[in-house]
Amino acid sequence: MTDPRNHALAAPTDLLARALMAFIFIAAGFHKIGGFAGTQGWMESMGVPGILLYPVVVLELFGGLAILLGFKTRIIAFLLAGFCVLSAVIFHGDLANDFNAFAKNLAMAGGFLLLTINGAGKLSLDAKLAK
């Protein structure tokens, strides 16, 4: 059996997977900037200090862009996996009313853990910088 990493579609599929995973974080970061006060208030209503919105926006925007570009992928993916699990538990733990968001966050964490182990692939800054 041949190594699937050597398949002709491996590199473009890695890039597409990273783009799909990054999209939600980049979009969410911009959305939080646009509704900063409202998001801070919602966080505080959930028992989370509103000041933490600043690092959340940075992680979502720059982390999402790093995943998209494949830069420091293993580290950023690990951080985003933890972020997904934490946000699932803290903000989407009411499974009777928010199961889909909870499950989506866990699925994203799983994808990020795969990136943590496998890296970004050939079409990435990580691969370019490794040469």
Side-chain angles (χ1 to χ4, degrees):
M1 181 172 212
T2 60
D3 182 356
R5 302 298 313 155
N6 293 328
H7 190 280
L9 293 178
T13 302
D14 286 339
L15 176 59
L16 177 60
R18 290 195 333 266
L20 292 171
M21 293 178 72
F23 171 75
I24 194 168
F25 290 93
I26 296 167
F30 279 116
H31 179 77
K32 285 177 177 70
I33 290 171
F36 202 87
T39 303
Q40 255 186 335
W42 177 71
M43 286 174 66
E44 290 169 352
S45 77
M46 301 295 283
V48 176
I51 193 75
L52 292 179
L53 183 54
Y54 291 97
V56 165
V57 168
V58 169
L59 179 62
E60 287 183 340
L61 279 178
F62 293 106
L65 288 170
I67 292 296
L68 176 63
L69 299 172
F71 179 70
K72 301 291 182 185
T73 305
R74 293 173 194 266
I75 295 165
I76 300 297
F78 184 75
L79 292 173
L80 285 170
F83 175 78
C84 287
V85 171
L86 281 174
S87 62
V89 171
I90 294 169
F91 298 110
H92 307 294
D94 180 5
L95 299 183
N97 294 312
D98 212 5
F99 178 79
N100 286 341
F102 182 86
K104 180 250 333 161
N105 278 32
L106 294 184
M108 291 293 294
F112 283 125
L113 290 175
L114 285 172
L115 279 177
T116 299
I117 297 302
N118 296 316
K122 293 177 183 176
L123 296 177
S124 68
L125 288 177
D126 289 342
K128 197 168 216 49
L129 294 171
K131 290 183 179 179

